Amino acid sequence: SSQKAAEQGAMVRPLKVCLIDLDVFDGQLGFLLGATKPTALNIALSTDLFGPELIQNNLIYSERMGFHALLAPMRGITAMHTDADFYAKVISILRTMFDVIILDTSVQHYDSLIKRVALPIADIVLFVTTLDIKSISGMSRWINTARTPADKGGHGINIKKVGIVVNQSSNNVSMDEEKLATAAGPVALLVAIPLDTVAVQAAGNNNRLENIIEAHPPIGSAYYSLARKLTKKIDIGVEVNLLPLIDDEGIYASRPKGPKSPDASGPRAKTIAPPTKKTTGNGWFNKKK
């Protein structure tokens, strides 16, 4: 999108974006990009001078998607060479080379790469959940851990930089907005990505996952909505500040307050809006009567 904006004169130049696969035991970014090497292991084992040139030479570039990527090692057994200290040094250099860096992590949030590297340095933390009750419960536990100070066993991060993405969202699954909002507590609910398993798997298996953005309007609309929220304050030549995460209509950023009865007076939270106009199967939840 920034490439198109630059061509139209809306930006001085396209954003420089780098994806880093921090799931060093089960990295999958290479499958989606159709590439397997070089990886972070090439940097870790190189005898060349550690610095921007070495890192640049071991990134891959996707012409069709317009970003660079640092792949995880192909075999998890080699992860000992790419520990938290190694990635911290690599990311500190990449931050001088790119406008936006995206860290794709595993789900093991006590892993040192997440706890010591990703969570402390991230401007924004996206927690991806589904509407399955187990996933919602896990999200609630993670939020409590994330906001608990480090000296008390938590991650001690600023909860205001966290946003929730509901993936594979569909109606008629016995999960309404009140349950989700209660589990989310003070964390912003950013967007719902509609469920379409066949389309997503077909695109992923053909290394063309990005095609869904334009070929599948409900999913594409949701991703663009998320992108606008996350990049709202980026301006080339000006210090990047990605907060606040959210202020769009139809989404609320905190737990609803006030009376629960629809007939009672008092402040009430806004209804969570689907990412597109109402279409069967692509909304958030069952609509309450």
Side-chain angles (χ1 to χ4, degrees), residues 2 39 41 46 90 159 170 203:
S2 69
T39 74
L41 188 62
S46 176
V90 170
I159 205 66
S170 63

Side-chain angles (χ1 to χ4, degrees), residues 17-114:
V17 180
C18 184
L19 273 65
I20 302 177
D21 195 342
L22 280 185
D23 190 353
V24 295
F25 292 104
D26 190 29
Q28 299 178 4
L29 182 58
F31 291 109
L32 300 180
L33 298 178
T36 58
K37 56 184 179 180
T39 74
L41 188 62
N42 293 85
I43 299 174
L45 300 182
S46 176
T47 58
D48 294 339
L49 178 65
F50 183 84
E53 184 176 358
L54 172 62
I55 294 174
Q56 180 71 48
N57 290 340
N58 287 285
L59 300 176
I60 66 167
Y61 181 73
S62 173
E63 290 283 353
R64 72 177 191 270
M65 299 181 75
F67 61 73
H68 288 80
L70 177 60
L71 302 183
M74 289 185 286
R75 297 189 300 163
I77 194 172
T78 62
M80 67 185 74
H81 299 291
T82 55
D83 58 11
D85 291 335
F86 165 78
Y87 272 105
K89 292 190 296 182
V90 170
I91 293 172
S92 68
I93 292 177
L94 287 172
R95 294 179 79 169
T96 69
M97 301 165 58
F98 292 92
D99 301 304
V100 177
I101 296 175
I102 301 173
L103 307 177
D104 182 21
T105 73
S106 72
V107 298
Q108 305 300 327
H109 59 92
Y110 280 107
D111 179 87
S112 61
L113 284 177
I114 299 179

